């Protein structure tokens, strides 16, 4: 039956595509040469690309939380630093070697490029009373002999000082931190790498000098650099592996070396030309650009395989090479153009994301879609006309399996319809079990030194996330007001009582210590000063005693109208951070009415807010994409019911994928949320090719629904199976990444594409037989 349908009744008058095919077959060398010239010119733009690995690139300049953080940092200081975490093997850093190493790293910290301030256990400005004098001095100045008495004194002071514990020394004394605040020049993209390289060099040198104590490099600057390293590692290792997987898959399934080579000659230029376009535009690529090669690769593979499958199909039926190319173009030009448009629509919906790198990702993939389409319509058929060709008879076995599957589906249509509907509903119902959240502190695995430092910091210092609050008094010198100070301390006391909080750094801590010093170091007087004048006097005395670079500009503003509070929390998800911040703001509004406090700020909260909004904006983008794609399919297929039917088959794979995700992972972070838009366009490809062949059989072959399905499986089933198998394997390679966003994207894309084939093979045919089973062939004349 499929053979007779395949012949169809092609129009007698040559179509535009057939005329183009005849023109191309007459001059394949001209097309090939023109393609190579174009590829070379466009690809040369790659050399102009610039890269950035700043985490802040994930947020647009108008992002309200970034604006708030920028204003906060202009008031106090920018939250950029590199840290040295020391872990002592004998469970204490309070040894002669431990203290000397901390002191040496502190000195080295001042030599770090762009360093602004170095804070550590040894240069902590300890205060004490000496009669009527306030003595402010470093806890260890590097000159005092480190005998047992001195070490015991340092240990006693350090572990009893709230300003040090869980910030610069662990509560048990087995770890210590040296923090180097840096101010990076915004115009120098390599500045953070310079900082981290110097820090690593210093750590290696001092590690050899003081063996036995582990030194881990962390901080926001280190995380930025590691982000770039992770993306480069993925491109270097996984893209090559993806190529190998795709080559092996195509060789195994197509069994034609020439076709595989032709496909690779479409894939590689599509990727490089995409990068070249943005290079010529002077773009600075964000970390998400690392996903572009994998996504463009899948699109180019799909386009190429459909062309190859049709070409070999026609060759097996006795056509010569030129006629086979013309027919492959005729039957695939519209579907490939349609799938390219629908894929572009899907990925362009990433422009609804609040994160500029994902806007850029969508735009780059859309450009890649265009190049893949152009090359598959020009360069690929020209190559098929010129390269050596073996007899393509091996595809008949796969076609026979597709024929048997079609017969089973037609005979048991009700069982498949009911069964698949139950499966889709049951799995999709698990979607609410997913939790929206972001864990950017867990982006890397333990193979990255930065992640080991992050985990060690959380283990020894107890905290992971930092929330900054600007506590404003509302008037100049208002921070000296006893009412203001009491409310700040009350807020801090409430925060410390929360189960997720490990530390609260605030100005009242310092003032209470200074007040104790003023009263002869009497611990009973470690309390807030009772008058405004006394508070001002204590801060002035302290600041005048501080060494250069250790002032209070990072704690109080210039007008003394506000102070900074830093809250450290245990590792949690972004949604819980947002809930905590909202809870804190409710407490302030109720119990500290004179404090003027905006919502918390900091990188952690910005990530939390953007992920929270991103889910909703991308859901809107997905809905819009589905409406546009369905409308386009209605027009292209000239069928309202087929266009509406495509909604089901396009939504079902995403529902199945995210329902499955709830079982195996359950966290919808920034990378997981964008997959829904990236995948929707690719998922539509299968539906478009399936419905296009089905519609062709109804119109050109004048067949009923059942025979049209037989023809569809016979002609396009093999191509859909090959593309899905290869693409699922290619995306599965990404799950081997050591970078969480890449791993998540690969896993979700592989799951979604696998489900897309199942839906198109097992659910779409029964639905077609139900809604289109009038058993009357479509009158082709009615549509001309």
């Amino acid at each position: 039956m499929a053979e007779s349908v395949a012949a169809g009744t092609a129009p007698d008058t040559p179509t535009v595509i057939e005329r183009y095919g005849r023109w191309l077959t007459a001059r394949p060398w001209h097309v090939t040469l023109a393609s190579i010239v174009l590829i070379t010119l466009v690809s040369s733009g790659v050399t102009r690309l610039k890269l950035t690995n700043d985490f802040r690139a994930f947020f647009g300049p108008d992002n309200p939380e970034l604006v708030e953080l920028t204003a906060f940092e202009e008031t106090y200081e920018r939250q950029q630093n590199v840290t040295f975490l020391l872990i002592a093997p004998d469970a204490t850093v309070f040894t002669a070697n431990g203290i000397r190493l901390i002191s040496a790293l502190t000195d080295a910290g001042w030599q770090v490029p762009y360093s602004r301030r170095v804070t550590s256990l040894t240069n902590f400005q300890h205060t004490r009373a000496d009669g009527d004098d306030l003595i402010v001095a470093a806890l260890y100045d590097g000159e005092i002999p480190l005998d047992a008495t001195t070490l015991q004194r340092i240990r006693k002071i350090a572990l009893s000082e709230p300003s040090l514990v869980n910030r610069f020394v662990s509560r048990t004394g087995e770890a210590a931190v040296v923090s180097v605040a840096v101010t990076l020049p915004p115009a120098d993209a390599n500045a953070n790498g310079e900082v981290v390289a110097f820090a690593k060099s210093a750590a290696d040198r001092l590690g050899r000098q003081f063996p036995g104590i582990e030194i881990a490099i962390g901080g926001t600057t280190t995380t930025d650099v590691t982000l770039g390293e992770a993306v480069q590692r993925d491109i270097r290792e996984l893209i090559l592996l993806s190529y190998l997987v795709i080559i092996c898959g195509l060789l195994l399934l197509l069994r034609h070396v020439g076709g595989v080579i032709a496909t690779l000659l479409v894939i590689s230029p599509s990727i490089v030309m995409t990068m070249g376009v943005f290079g010529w535009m002077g773009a600075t690529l964000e970390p998400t650009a690392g996903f572009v090669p994998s996504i463009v690769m899948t699109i180019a593979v799909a386009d190429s395989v459909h062309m190859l499958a049709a070409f070999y199909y026609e060759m097996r039926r006795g056509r010569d090479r030129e006629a086979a190319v013309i027919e492959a173009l005729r039957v695939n030009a519209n579907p490939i153009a349609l799938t390219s448009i629908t894929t572009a629509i899907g990925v362009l919906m990433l422009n609804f994301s609040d994160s500029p790198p994902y806007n850029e990702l969508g735009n780059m993939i859309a450009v890649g879609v265009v190049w893949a389409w152009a090359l598959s319509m020009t360069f690929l058929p020209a190559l098929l006309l010129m390269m050596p060709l073996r007899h393509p008879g091996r595809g008949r076995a796969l076609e026979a399996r597709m024929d048997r599957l079609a017969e089973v589906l037609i005979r048991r249509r009700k069982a498949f319809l009911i069964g698949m509907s139950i499966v889709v509903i049951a799995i999709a119902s698990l979607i609410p079990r997913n939790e929206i959240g972001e864990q950017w502190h867990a982006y890397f695995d333990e193979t990255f030194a930065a992640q080991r430092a992050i985990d060690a910091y959380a283990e020894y210092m107890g905290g992971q996330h930092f929330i900054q609050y600007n506590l404003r008094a509302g008037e100049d010198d208002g921070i000296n007001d006893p009412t203001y100070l009491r409310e700040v301390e009350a807020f801090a006391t409430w925060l410390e009582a929360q189960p997720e909080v490990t530390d609260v750094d605030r100005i009242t801590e310092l003032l209470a210590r200074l007040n104790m010093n003023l009263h002869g170091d009497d611990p009973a007087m470690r309390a807030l000063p009772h008058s405004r004048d006394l508070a001002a006097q204590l801060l002035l005395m302290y600041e005048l005693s501080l060494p250069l670079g250790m002032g209070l500009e990072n704690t109080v503003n210039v007008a003394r109208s506000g102070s900074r509070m830093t809250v450290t929390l245990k590792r949690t998800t972004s949604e819980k951070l947002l809930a905590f911040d909202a809870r804190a703001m409710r407490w302030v509004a109720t119990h500290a009415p004179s404090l003027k406090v905006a919502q918390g700020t900091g990188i952690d909260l910005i990530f939390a807010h953007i992920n929270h909004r991103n889910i909703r904006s991308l859901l809107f983008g997905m809905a819009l994409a589905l409406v546009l794609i369905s409308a386009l399919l209605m027009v292209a297929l000239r069928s309202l019911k087929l266009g509406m039917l495509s909604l089901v088959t396009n939504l079902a794979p995403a529902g199945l994928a995210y329902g499955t995700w709830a079982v195996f992972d359950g966290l919808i972070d920034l990378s997981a949320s964008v997959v829904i838009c990236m995948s929707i366009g690719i998922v539509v490809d299968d539906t478009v090719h399936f419905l296009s062949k089905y519609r062709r059989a109804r119109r050109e072959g004048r067949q009923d629904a059942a025979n049209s399905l037989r023809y569809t499986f016979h002609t396009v089933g093999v191509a859909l199976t090959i593309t899905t198998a290869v693409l699922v394997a290619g995306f599965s390679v990404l799950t081997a990444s050591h970078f969480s966003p890449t791993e998540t994207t690969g896993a979700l894309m592989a799951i979604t594409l696998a489900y897309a084939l199942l839906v198109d093979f097992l659910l779409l045919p029964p639905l077609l037989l139900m809604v289109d089973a009038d058993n009357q062939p479509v009158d082709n004349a009615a549509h001309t």
Side-chain angles (χ1 to χ4, degrees):
M1 180 65 68
E3 292 285 351
S4 61
V5 176
T9 55
D12 294 331
T13 303
T15 63
V16 173
I17 297 300
E18 288 175 310
R19 289 198 296 272
Y20 164 72
R22 292 172 184 175
W23 175 87
L24 186 147
T25 56
R27 46 187 65 80
W29 284 103
H30 297 79
V31 173
T32 300
L33 181 60
S35 299
I36 292 173
V37 171
L38 180 63
I39 291 168
T40 303
L41 289 175
V42 176
S43 300
S44 62
V46 169
T47 58
R48 296 171 173 261
L49 284 173
K50 297 189 264 294
L51 301 173
T52 179
N53 51 19
D54 187 349
F55 256 101
R56 294 170 191 249
F58 280 90
F59 319 112
D62 298 327
N63 180 287
E65 288 77 35
L66 183 62
V67 171
E68 182 70 25
L69 176 62
T70 302
F72 180 89
E73 292 179 333
E74 289 174 352
T75 302
Y76 299 103
E77 65 178 19
R78 187 157 184 178
Q79 309 303 299
Q80 286 180 316
N81 71 335
V82 61
T83 61
F84 301 96
L85 174 65
L86 291 76
I87 304 169
D90 48 4
T92 180
V93 296
F94 296 105
T95 62
N97 264 355
I99 297 301
R100 288 195 186 99
L101 177 55
I102 295 172
S103 179
L105 282 171
T106 302
D107 292 339
W110 290 108
Q111 305 304 315
V112 170
Y114 317 110
S115 63
R116 180 181 69 248
R117 174 193 293 264
V118 183
T119 314
S120 71
L121 173 68
T122 56
N123 77 349
F124 170 70
Q125 298 303 297
H126 177 55
T127 59
R128 61 183 176 85
D130 186 2
D132 293 333
D133 295 328
L134 176 67
I135 305 300
V136 182
L139 191 55
Y140 173 70
D141 61 7
E143 297 180 1
I144 305 171
L146 288 170
D147 54 25
T149 302
T150 302
L151 290 171
Q152 183 60 31
R153 180 185 69 83
I154 294 174
R155 178 187 178 91
K156 181 179 179 181
I157 293 172
L159 295 183
S160 62
E161 179 51 59
S163 298
L164 288 174
V165 175
N166 282 348
R167 297 177 203 169
F168 300 100
V169 64
S170 64
R171 191 172 298 279
T172 59
E174 55 191 325
V177 171
V178 178
S179 178
V180 183
V182 296
T183 302
L184 301 177
D188 188 354
N190 299 317
N192 51 12
E194 187 180 350
V195 167
V196 174
F198 186 96
K200 289 181 178 179
S201 176
D204 291 341
R205 173 173 53 83
L206 293 172
R208 291 191 297 270
Q209 188 176 340
F210 298 92
I213 300 178
E214 181 183 352
I215 306 174
I217 309 295
T220 58
T221 305
T222 306
T223 303
D224 283 348
V225 172
T226 305
L227 175 65
E229 292 173 351
V231 174
Q232 290 172 15
R233 184 197 284 190
D234 281 349
I235 293 175
R236 185 175 61 250
E237 298 176 359
L238 297 184
I239 298 302
L240 177 60
L241 186 56
S242 295
Y243 262 101
L244 291 175
V245 168
I246 288 174
I247 291 170
C248 293
L250 290 175
L251 283 173
L252 181 65
L253 296 171
L254 284 177
R255 300 188 180 184
H256 295 285
V257 175
V260 173
I261 294 174
T263 301
L264 293 177
L265 290 176
V266 170
I267 293 174
S268 299
S270 298
I271 295 171
V272 181
M273 291 172 77
T274 300
M275 298 296 185
V277 167
F278 284 83
W280 284 113
M281 293 170 61
T284 298
L285 297 187
E286 318 295 353
T288 52
F291 297 134
V292 172
S294 298
I295 307 297
V296 173
M297 187 186 301
T298 67
I299 296 161
V301 166
D303 291 350
S304 300
V305 168
H306 281 289
M307 278 293 297
L308 289 171
F311 172 74
Y312 290 135
Y313 178 87
E314 298 302 327
M315 290 285 289
R316 283 194 294 272
R317 273 138 193 85
R319 292 183 186 258
D320 60 30
R321 190 187 298 227
E322 289 75 13
V325 166
I326 293 171
E327 184 64 12
L329 283 168
R330 188 181 79 84
V331 300
N332 281 298
N334 289 338
I336 290 178
L338 193 56
T339 57
S340 299
I341 295 171
T342 56
T343 301
I345 289 173
V347 296
L348 286 174
M349 293 303 110
L350 288 177
N351 282 283
F352 283 98
S353 170
D354 278 354
S355 182
Y358 286 103
N359 304 156
E360 178 185 81
L361 175 63
N363 296 334
M364 292 185 76
I365 295 173
V367 170
V369 167
V370 173
W371 287 127
W373 166 78
L375 293 177
S376 65
M377 291 291 102
T378 56
F379 194 32
L380 178 61
L383 290 173
L384 292 178
L385 289 165
M386 296 185 302
M387 63 175 45
L389 179 67
R390 293 175 56 190
H391 189 273
R394 293 182 176 182
R396 294 189 183 275
L398 288 175
E399 290 173 5
R401 292 189 184 97
M402 291 296 107
D403 294 341
R404 289 195 292 272
L405 175 60
E407 294 302 325
V408 172
L409 286 165
I410 292 169
R411 284 200 312 270
R412 302 180 180 177
R413 65 188 73 176
K414 290 184 179 179
F416 276 100
L417 179 61
I418 295 172
M420 281 298 296
S421 299
I422 293 173
V423 169
V424 170
I425 293 171
I427 296 178
S429 67
L430 300 175
I431 292 177
R433 292 176 55 181
N434 285 301
E435 179 182 2
I436 297 174
E438 187 69 42
Q439 292 181 320
W440 73 273
H441 287 93
Y443 270 7
F444 318 108
D445 67 9
E446 66 282 352
T447 63
F448 289 95
Q451 187 62 48
R452 295 196 297 273
I454 290 171
D455 294 339
Y457 186 94
E459 177 184 353
Y460 290 103
M461 297 298 167
Q464 187 75 81
H465 305 285
F466 299 93
I467 299 180
Q468 309 283 349
Y469 291 103
N470 185 12
L471 308 179
R472 291 171 287 121
E475 59 174 337
D476 289 356
D477 295 317
I479 65 168
N480 299 315
D481 186 347
T483 300
Y484 170 85
L485 294 174
R486 283 195 300 271
E487 291 191 352
V488 169
E489 184 60 24
F491 183 33
T493 302
W494 178 83
L495 288 167
E496 289 175 329
Q498 305 310 300
E500 55 265 74
V501 173
T502 62
D503 184 63
V504 181
D505 183 8
R506 68 278 195 180
I507 188 64
T508 53
E509 197 173 63
L510 171 62
L511 280 166
R513 173 156 57 91
L514 294 174
N515 191 59
M516 178 186 71
N517 299 142
L518 186 67
H519 291 84
D521 289 336
D522 180 2
M525 296 304 295
R526 190 162 187 144
L528 293 174
H530 55 76
S531 71
R532 189 183 189 118
D533 289 341
L534 179 57
Q537 181 185 359
L538 289 173
L539 285 179
L540 179 61
M541 290 172 58
Y542 178 72
E543 286 188 277
L544 291 175
S545 303
L546 292 173
L548 184 66
M550 298 294 289
L552 290 178
E553 60 274 5
N554 67 334
T555 304
V556 297
N557 63 19
V558 174
R560 296 298 193 264
S561 61
S563 66
R564 181 178 80 172
M565 175 182 283
T566 303
V567 183
T568 308
L569 296 89
K570 300 173 185 175
R571 179 176 288 180
T572 186
T573 64
S574 58
E575 289 296 302
K576 290 179 181 177
L577 280 180
L578 292 175
F580 172 85
D581 183 46
R583 197 165 80 238
M585 290 301 94
R586 288 194 297 269
W587 188 95
V588 170
T590 304
H591 299 94
S594 68
L595 284 184
K596 294 175 174 57
V597 187
Q599 66 181 19
T601 188
I603 294 294
D604 296 277
L605 277 180
I606 297 181
F607 264 104
H609 280 288
I610 199 171
N611 188 61
H612 189 82
R613 287 197 302 268
N614 215 49
I615 297 292
R616 287 146 186 82
S617 59
L618 289 180
L619 284 175
F620 173 79
M622 184 201 71
L624 178 60
L626 283 172
V627 170
L628 293 175
I629 289 171
S630 296
L632 182 63
L633 291 179
M634 290 176 193
V635 173
L637 298 174
R638 303 179 189 179
S639 172
L640 176 63
K641 58 185 174 183
L642 291 185
M644 295 298 294
L645 193 62
S646 70
L647 275 173
V648 177
T649 56
N650 294 334
L651 271 175
L656 289 166
Y658 282 92
T660 303
W661 192 250
V663 175
F664 293 100
D665 190 291
L667 182 67
I668 303 297
D669 58 12
L670 195 57
S671 56
S673 66
V674 301
V675 169
I676 195 166
C677 284
M678 284 198 298
S679 65
I680 191 70
I682 301 175
V683 164
V684 172
D685 288 5
D686 289 356
T687 303
V688 167
H689 280 286
F690 195 97
L691 289 178
S692 294
K693 293 298 188 294
Y694 174 83
R695 195 64 176 162
R696 181 177 293 276
R698 294 281 274 159
R699 290 169 56 195
E700 288 186 10
R702 298 180 55 78
Q703 299 296 317
D704 60 21
N707 279 330
S708 295
L709 278 176
R710 291 185 177 98
Y711 168 71
T712 301
F713 272 98
H714 187 77
T715 54
V716 82
V718 172
L720 292 180
T721 302
I722 293 174
T723 55
T724 301
V726 170
L727 298 186
V728 168
F731 276 113
S732 296
V733 168
L734 300 185
T735 62
S737 172
H738 302 283
F739 185 45
S740 175
T742 302
E743 180 184 9
T744 296
T745 301
L748 261 176
M749 288 293 287
I751 293 170
T752 305
L753 293 176
Y755 275 133
L757 184 68
L758 288 177
V759 168
D760 282 326
F761 273 10
L762 304 182
L763 180 61
L764 181 56
L767 284 173
L768 284 170
L769 290 171
M770 181 179 71
V771 304
D772 201 38
D774 53 11
N775 287 323
Q776 295 298 317
V778 176
D779 186 0
N780 191 43
H783 298 280
T784 58

